[in-house]
Every structure is written in structure tokens, then in C-alpha cells.
Amino acid sequence: MAMEKTFDAAAAEARLIEAWEQAGAFRAGANAKPGRDSYSIMIPPPNVTGVLHMGHAFNNTLQDILIRWKRMQGFDTLWQPGTDHAGIATQMVVERELAKEGKKRTDFSRDEFLSRIWAWKEQSGGTIINQLKRLGASCDFDRTAFTMAGAAGDTSTGHENSPNFHDAVIKVFVEMYNKGLIYRGKRLVNWDPHFETAISDLEVENVEVAGHMWHFKYPLAGGATYDYVEKDEDGNVTLRETRDYISIATTRPETMLGDGAVAVHPSDERYAPIVGQLCEIPVGPKEHRRLIPIITDDYPDPSFGSGAVKITGAHDFNDYQVAKRGGIPMYRLMDTRGQMRADGAPYADEAAKAQAHAKGAAFTEAEADAINLVPDHLRGLDRFEARAKVVEEITAEGLAVMTTETRTDEDGNAQEITVPLVENKPIMQPFGDRSKVVIEPMLTDQWFVDAEKIVGPALDAVRDGTVKILPESGEKTYYHWLENIEPWCISRQLWWGHQIPVWFDEAGNQYCAPTEAEAQAQAGEGVTLTRDPDVLDTWFSSGLWPIGTLGWPEETEEYKRYFPTSTLVTGQDILFFWVARMMMMQLAVVDQVPFDTVYLHGLVRDAKGKKMSKSTGNVIDPLEIIDEYGADALRFTNAAMASLGGVLKLDMQRIAGYRNFGTKLWNAARFAEMNGATGSDGQIPTPEATVNRWIIGETAKVRQVVDEALETFRFNDAAQALYGFVWGKVCDWYVEFSKPLLLDGDDATKAETQATMAWVIDQCLILLHPIMPFITEELWGTLGRRDTMLAHADWPTYGAELVDPAADREMNWVISLIDAVRSARAQMHVPAGAKIPMVVTSLDAAGQTAWDSNETMIKRLTRVESLDKVASFPKGSITVAVEGGSFGLPLADIIDIDAEKARLEKTLGKLAKELGGLRGRLNNPKFVASAPDEVVEEARDNLALREEEETKLKEALARLSEVD
């Protein structure tokens, strides 16, 4: 039965996905050849709540290219799929479902709530896995893992390919705790007041918002004064006055209540007279006003604001470091909901305790944390409501720094008035990526990994080349983060997750064990134990992804075969959060690196280089692309834009172009079928005809280029090489060159051409399959009876030995002549249907042979009617140069030379204005410095395109000058 005229992607994709699954084509070890090494990739586990977005589509396309390529090479492959339990995201989804029923989490016991989550996971948690199948991901889906597998309530445990991930996580926690690598302590963390939990930096979105900077006076203790002097750069005094205060600026006045000091830079001469003195916090009941010291630290910037910084160690990450260095007490002002604390003794008592410390009394960190320094009338208020009241009270007391403004009254008269100094300026504010509320730096009790103790081997593995990070700029980032590593907060105040395996007795003693029974045995009979309610950060469990998914701590067959894994493909944004932590965890637990190569890619952006976001309305749904263009077009686009370290710009026109590429391949296959050129047995043909020998050599060349590109993770180079070969060399040139042989050749020539074309089309399918699996698998099954699916076809190893130098030289000479004539005709606007004469002044023997062998074809494809040898080109000719020869096209009587010149000169003049504007913008330092990166990049791209266009127009004009 003849092939369909077009490829029905939607119907074929669904059918092929099912066929691959039923054949077990992607199971671990499928198509492995005896003696071949293993090659394994661990999928960066998407959130179980997730749906496929462009980042997933890009990331998984690259992984699939690698795994399909290695599988066809006969490696023992495993692409391990799975999902992350996504603590906050999943809990949020289920709480929203409960809200529809008019219920909330706290209406249930913890176990009841977790049962609801497991039920949701069973029903809706596999969405993204099914979407990955639509992309063509060739994972071993029978081994789909889950970072909470094996936890209480999991109904999937017991499946032969479902390792007990939960027990592995708990085992690691207990072992690290017993080694002193995990501890509980009080540190500053990102706190989400909506979910009432600590969150990671990756879950914080820093957004520029309209903000205010208030300026306040902190009076010096006891009415002390000093000579305040400001100088210019030359040392000249510009201001001198006697002050009884030090001024600070803040965007968060409510945190002043917890100040422990005011800091100035050691070099700041303005404040040298008062360093070591006490100043008064200008808020709270006057009779209980606290005094805090003025200290020096390298953190304040003398050139910014007043140069003096209030230090609130419990509510600012920079202040926290200053407070630690200076032994400054840290007072927590807010509760878990972001409201001002309402616990503790009356403010008068609490302020007295803090004041005693300022005068030298010592107390512990825990005692400092217990002190509530929120005045009685502000307790229980929302933090932003408290902010307004603090500003109002300070201003009413006259302790706001004042400035003069010119305002116009109702009669239009201008007058100067004195007002509080408040700067309206944009500020970067942290928001929870899911809660969308302002994140509060909060001093809380959390569990930490003492990362300094385990970071060394992870650094060494990259330094000594055991693990390679690509691009190399990723290594620098990796070193910077790990060389300056802080303790890793691994606890979250949620119900969904791996619950911390630590129990406390009534005295606060800790008992860490895998089970409550073992903890009770440690504590002794009769001791009442309470389990820590917190759960582990999802990054802790996903840090064990490589070994946990392979069945560790059991010595499973998969663990022995596929660990350490081979390549990790992931985003630059989680280099620290996931990649580095996997390195640290695997080395700490099993003393092996988790992979040997890390390929990092950036974010997928829109066609103009802008970050995709719902707010800007430029989010592109990959499933909609697949519906419209097919998965192969999206995949080829992903590969083509995956330059190492490059910007990932997704252009819909490009996707449409690669769908057309698939159509071109389909049409070439139809041509082959109609001409009996299908059903290759895989044996490399040994033809006589020059064109057949040439295309076999071109196939060998592209095979080498593709392998070299994929070996070095240059996916774009592989895609471009295949595009140029399949579209240009095969679908255009070879199909055209073969027509005379198939239609007019003798039986032997026709047969060898059929065999060659069948083999070449098959090689196109094989080489394209890792990038475009659907259309190639469909054609593979359509064009012949096969013993195996294309997914298991042998990847070729042929190379330079198939290149025939004579055929290569001849056919590439022919192609260059045809291209040159066509280009000249197009530049000169020669009517497409016009047949024109051509002349030649010189031609070497090789060129003459090539002409003689291909004259008919050259004339047909260039619409040249004749070739005459002349001593010199006649007036009105343009030259067409090729290797070993010089041809000419007499065009004086065919085109209007003057009109063409006028058209080109007019176009060049218009283009010159555009180029001038673009160059002016890019040469303006202010534009480059202040414009968004994507705008600058777009201007540079436009300039390059316009310059290329100008070059071509000038070449055409120069050719016309020859004619003239």
C-alpha cells in the first residue's frame, strides 16, 4: 500500500508510544550488546504536582537524545524516571481541594491529612509522567520512582521496580546524625508566613516593588553630642554641625524594635567620636526606651545613605552575620504568621532584660530569643500594620529626619515646608514562589547539615576532573558556592514529607532512630517521647536520588550496573540546590560520585530573549506546540537551540520550519517508495555511478559530525549537521541527481540507485531518530519489513573509508557551480523562468570532466540554455567563479542594469539609516548598562542581520558594476 501523502503526527505519536511500551523498548538494558558498558541518566524529578512546561520539554529532549543514541550504540542503558513529592506544592494543592469542601488541614489529624494526600497522588500525581511520554521520552517508565515511596500510606510499595525511597532517606539521616553531620540549632532562615515554614532560597522570588526608605534619629545616650563633619573628595569641609543623634535609614521600621546595635564602617571619620557609645532606639514607651551600642563593622557602606546601619540580627541576613561577628543579641519580633509576637512577659519586664544585657549582663541565645521586645500596644498586630504605627509614633515624637520641600498652595503660591525624609524608591522584596506573600527572615530552631564537614570531597571531585561540569563557567559557580558554604537547613514545618526521625523526652533530650521503638529503647522504659513534627526539605531526599532510585541500601542488580550514573542534564538554577548536594550526599553516604558529567543549560526564553512568565503573557505551553506541530518539531527546535552556554530563545517560526523539515523528509521517503528505492538490508552499497558514491560519502561525513557533536554535548551542531545533510544533500541534491538515473538509466544503474537511495534514507532515519523519534520510527516501519524497531536499530560506525575522493570532488564542484549561478540570477533579479546563455573563459581538466558528466543536469537546474568557450567575457557579463574555472553570464540584454542599480542603491541607503541607529544605541554606554539584557541582545542580533544584508547588497551592486 502506498504511503500517505502527509505524516499524521497526532495519530502516529499515540500509536508509537503504545507500541514502544508494549515492546518494552525502553526497559533498562534493552538492546544492550554483550560486553558494552552501562550508560545511565537520572531524570531531574519534576514535582508530582507539576505539568509539562518548556523547561521540562527542553531538558528532557536533551536527555532523550543522549539515551536513544547510546541505546542504539548498544550500551546497557537506563533512563530513570520519577517525581519529587514536592512538600509545599503538594500540601498546597490538597489544602485547596479541602477548602472547596469548607475544610482546612487542621480539621484533620496528621495521619488523616496524609491519607488525603496519598489519595490525591494516586489519582492525579502521574500527570507529568504521561506528558513526558507525549514528548517521546524513552524512560524506563516501569521503574518510575517517587521520593516518598515506602512512607506510611504509600500503596505502591512492593512493586518489584519501586524501591523503598523513604527508608533510604531515614537511614541516611540517622547515620549522618550519629556522625555529627546533622544537628538542631537556631539560625536565620527564609520564613513563609502563609505556610508557616522555612523555605529554600530557590523558593523565594525577589521582585522589584514600589518601596519607601524612612530616615530616623537615634538619640545619643545621656544627651551626649559630637561634632559631625562631612567632607568632599578633596577633603574640604562641606557640612559641620553639632549632633546629639546618629541617623539611619530603613525600609522596615517595625524591625527597629529588635535592634541590637548601630554599625558604622571603621574608616568612617564622621562617627569616630561616638563609636563605643550608646544610642537610644526611638520607638516604644519612653520610660522603657532601650539603649544599644554604636559599633564598627566592614558591612556598612560609608557612601550609602547616612553610612550608619541598624543591626537587627533576627530579621535580616546581612545583619545576622554582623551580629554573629560582634556578639550582638538577636531578638525575634514576629510569630510564625508574620504577626508581632504576643507571648512573654509585659514589655517593661522584657525591655529591662535587654537593657541589662546592653550594660554587660550575659544571657544565652535561647534566653535572648525568649525575650519579646514588642511594646504591649503593638503585640498581635500584622507586621505591616505595626510598621505604620511605628512610623507614626517616631514622627510624632520628632525623631524623624526632616527635609524641606517646595509645595504649591490652593492659590498657586509656592512655599517651603518641612516634612519627614521618606524616599519613594523601588526595592527588591522577597516573595514565596507559591504563597505569594512577603518572606520574612526569621530566627528559628531548625535541623541543619553541617555542610562544611562534607563539602571537601565534592570540591575535590570537580577539581581533579573526576566530574566534569559543562559549560566550564558552571565550575566557577560551583566552586564559589561550595567554598563559601553555610549550614544547610533541611527541616520544614509541614505535614507532607519525610518526618524527622528524632524523638524528644520531657527534658528536651534527643533520640534519633529509624523507628519509634528503637528511639524508645535508647531512652529507656517509662520515658515519654514526642516525635519532632517537622519534615525533611525535599532537596534532602532528592539529594539521594541516584542511589535511592536504584534500591540502595540494598545491593540491587540495578545499583551495581548503573551507579555511578553517567550524565546529568539539568538547569543552571539548581546547580547548588540539587547538583552540589547530590555530590555531597553520595560521597558522604557511599563514597562515590553520583555521575561523571554535568551538562547545565539556561532557562528557555521567548523569541526576544525575555523570561517566560504568566504576568507578561509570554508563556508557551509545549503540549499546545505538540498538538499543532508535532513532538518532533519541538524536539528538533530544542536540539537546535541547545548551544553550550548559549541563550535559549524559543521562536515559533523556527518550530514551524522544523515541521516543514519533517515534511521534506516524508516527501523524500515517498519519492523513494514510488521509485522502488526502499527495503534496504542495511548493507552498505558499492555503486558505480558517481552521484551514488558521492551521497554515500556525504552520509559517512555527517555520521562523524553527529557523533563528535553528541560526544561533546553540542546538540545544536548535531541538529544543524543533520538538517543540512537531510534537507540539502539528500532531499534536494540527491533526489534531483537521482532522477535521470532512476528514470533513464540502464537496469544496473537503476538498481544500484534504488539500493543506494534505500540505504541513504534508512541512514537518515537512524541518524535523526534520537532527535525526531516519531516520524523516523513511522517511516522505518513503513519503508520495509524490519526485524527490530528503529529505537533498537544499530547505530552506524562507518566513517572516512566511505568517502570517494573523486566522486566527492566532482559532485561538490557541480553543486558549487549550480549554487553560484542560481545566486547570481537571484541577485540580479533575472526572471525565474528565463533561460540564459553562459560562457566560460577557463576550465581545468577536472572541471571539464565534471561538466561533461553532468551537463544536462546542470543546465536543467540552472536554466542555462548553452555554454560557449570565449577568450574574454562579453560586455555586460557577470562572473561566476568555481574551483578550476571561470564562467560568465551575459545579462546586458536580459535585465535593466540601471534600474537594478537604482533599486539596490535605494535599499542600501535605507539600510544605512537603520544601521546607524542600531550602532548608535549599542555604542551608547548608558543604553548597554541600563537596558534589559534581552533588549540589548535583540539590538545586537538585529545589527548582525542588517550587516549581513548590507554585505549581500553590496556584492550584488559590485556585480552590476562589472556588467556596466
Side-chain angles (χ1 to χ4, degrees), residues 313-370:
H315 290 279
D316 182 275
F317 286 102
N318 290 315
D319 293 3
Y320 177 73
Q321 297 298 333
V322 177
K324 285 207 304 182
R325 287 193 293 269
I328 298 165
M330 293 180 262
Y331 302 112
R332 181 171 52 86
L333 300 170
M334 298 171 200
D335 63 19
T336 58
R337 296 166 297 171
Q339 296 178 341
M340 308 308 286
R341 285 174 59 182
D343 62 320
Y347 178 72
D349 298 338
E350 302 285 58
K353 296 175 188 174
Q355 194 58 62
H357 183 274
K359 293 180 179 179
F363 51 68
T364 65
E365 184 182 84
E367 289 172 330
D369 184 70

Side-chain angles (χ1 to χ4, degrees), residues 10 86 98 132 147 168 221 246 254 286 306 420 580 608 622 683 713 781 807 924:
L98 290 176
L132 285 172
T147 54
I246 184 170
E254 71 281 6
K286 185 69 175 175
S306 68
K608 294 184 177 180
Q683 297 300 309
F713 304 96
N924 182 348

Side-chain angles (χ1 to χ4, degrees), residues 811-832:
M811 296 312 302
N812 284 312
W813 184 93
V814 170
I815 289 171
S816 67
L817 176 59
I818 295 171
D819 271 341
V821 174
R822 284 175 167 177
S823 176
R825 289 180 62 123
Q827 280 187 340
M828 299 301 102
H829 275 218
V830 175

Side-chain angles (χ1 to χ4, degrees), residues 402-419:
M402 308 299 285
T403 186
T404 57
E405 285 185 1
T406 301
R407 294 187 181 176
T408 304
D409 61 20
E410 295 179 356
D411 299 324
N413 300 315
Q415 56 180 341
E416 286 194 344
I417 62 172
T418 302
V419 296

Side-chain angles (χ1 to χ4, degrees), residues 376-417:
D376 298 326
H377 68 290
L378 299 179
R379 294 186 176 187
L381 294 181
D382 177 83
R383 51 187 162 157
F384 301 115
E385 187 180 354
R387 176 180 298 175
K389 289 190 175 295
V390 166
V391 171
E392 178 185 345
E393 291 174 16
I394 295 176
T395 304
E397 194 175 332
L399 291 176
V401 175
M402 308 299 285
T403 186
T404 57
E405 285 185 1
T406 301
R407 294 187 181 176
T408 304
D409 61 20
E410 295 179 356
D411 299 324
N413 300 315
Q415 56 180 341
E416 286 194 344
I417 62 172

Side-chain angles (χ1 to χ4, degrees), residues 492-541:
R492 299 291 182 264
Q493 289 64 54
L494 303 170
W495 282 1
W496 173 242
H498 300 279
Q499 191 171 355
I500 302 285
V502 175
W503 285 258
F504 299 91
D505 62 20
E506 294 177 350
N509 297 309
Q510 301 173 6
Y511 305 93
C512 180
T515 65
E516 183 172 5
E518 291 172 86
Q520 190 69 62
Q522 292 178 21
E525 293 184 16
V527 177
T528 301
L529 296 181
T530 303
R531 188 171 185 175
D532 192 309
D534 291 355
V535 299
L536 285 165
D537 171 22
T538 55
W539 293 109
F540 184 89
S541 50

Side-chain angles (χ1 to χ4, degrees), residues 45-355:
N47 286 353
V48 70
T49 59
V51 294
L52 195 71
H53 59 61
M54 277 312 309
H56 292 134
F58 178 80
N59 174 272
N60 285 282
T61 295
L62 301 191
Q63 292 176 76
D64 196 44
I65 291 170
L66 292 173
I67 208 76
R68 285 181 182 269
W69 175 53
K70 292 292 186 180
R71 186 185 291 119
M72 294 171 79
Q73 288 180 321
F75 281 80
D76 181 354
T77 58
L78 165 65
W79 185 12
Q80 174 65 56
T83 53
D84 188 277
H85 64 277
I88 289 180
T90 305
Q91 186 161 311
M92 179 180 72
V93 167
V94 176
E95 287 195 68
R96 283 178 179 171
E97 292 295 318
L98 290 176
K100 295 176 184 177
E101 304 172 17
K103 299 176 182 177
K104 54 184 182 293
R105 169 170 52 104
T106 50
D107 293 334
F108 300 84
S109 69
R110 182 170 186 148
D111 288 343
E112 290 170 340
F113 179 72
L114 292 180
S115 293
R116 292 293 295 257
I117 292 185
W118 280 113
W120 172 89
K121 191 263 181 186
E122 192 70 24
Q123 181 178 355
S124 306
T127 298
I128 197 166
I129 293 295
N130 292 325
Q131 291 172 337
L132 285 172
K133 293 179 182 180
R134 287 202 60 193
L135 183 68
S138 63
C139 303
D140 183 353
F141 288 108
D142 288 341
R143 292 187 50 81
T144 299
F146 184 50
T147 54
M148 278 286 285
D154 180 15
T155 58
S156 65
T157 304
H159 188 286
E160 61 179 358
N161 290 327
S162 296
N164 192 320
F165 207 97
H166 173 72
D167 284 0
V169 172
I170 297 303
K171 176 180 175 65
V172 169
F173 182 98
V174 173
E175 289 185 357
M176 293 182 73
Y177 177 95
N178 290 334
K179 292 176 181 177
L181 300 176
I182 289 178
Y183 66 92
R184 184 170 174 80
K186 192 178 293 292
R187 288 180 62 88
L188 203 65
V189 297
N190 295 306
W191 186 265
D192 189 316
H194 174 77
F195 290 115
E196 297 185 65
T197 182
I199 61 174
S200 71
D201 289 342
L202 196 65
E203 295 160 313
V204 177
E205 293 179 339
N206 289 296
V207 181
E208 186 175 85
V209 299
H212 305 284
M213 179 80 81
W214 288 271
H215 293 253
F216 298 128
K217 299 176 181 179
Y218 281 48
L220 299 182
T225 62
Y226 67 109
D227 196 22
Y228 178 82
V229 179
E230 289 186 356
K231 298 178 182 179
D232 61 19
E233 293 179 356
D234 298 324
N236 301 311
V237 174
T238 58
L239 174 66
R240 183 188 297 273
E241 64 183 16
T242 299
R243 287 187 176 180
D244 61 357
Y245 66 89
I246 184 170
S247 69
I248 61 93
T250 181
T251 59
R252 304 168 68 213
E254 71 281 6
T255 64
M256 294 168 61
L257 297 163
D259 286 353
V262 170
V264 298
H265 196 273
S267 66
D268 198 334
E269 297 178 356
R270 294 171 297 176
Y271 303 115
I274 57 172
V275 169
Q277 293 189 31
L278 298 176
C279 61
E280 184 179 279
I281 299 176
V283 65
K286 185 69 175 175
E287 64 274 20
H288 304 301
R289 197 67 56 87
R290 282 196 302 122
L291 298 177
I292 56 176
I294 299 170
I295 66 169
T296 61
D297 191 89
D298 289 337
Y299 166 60
D301 180 356
S303 65
F304 182 77
S306 68
V309 179
K310 71 184 198 67
I311 303 301
T312 317
H315 290 279
D316 182 275
F317 286 102
N318 290 315
D319 293 3
Y320 177 73
Q321 297 298 333
V322 177
K324 285 207 304 182
R325 287 193 293 269
I328 298 165
M330 293 180 262
Y331 302 112
R332 181 171 52 86
L333 300 170
M334 298 171 200
D335 63 19
T336 58
R337 296 166 297 171
Q339 296 178 341
M340 308 308 286
R341 285 174 59 182
D343 62 320
Y347 178 72
D349 298 338
E350 302 285 58
K353 296 175 188 174
Q355 194 58 62

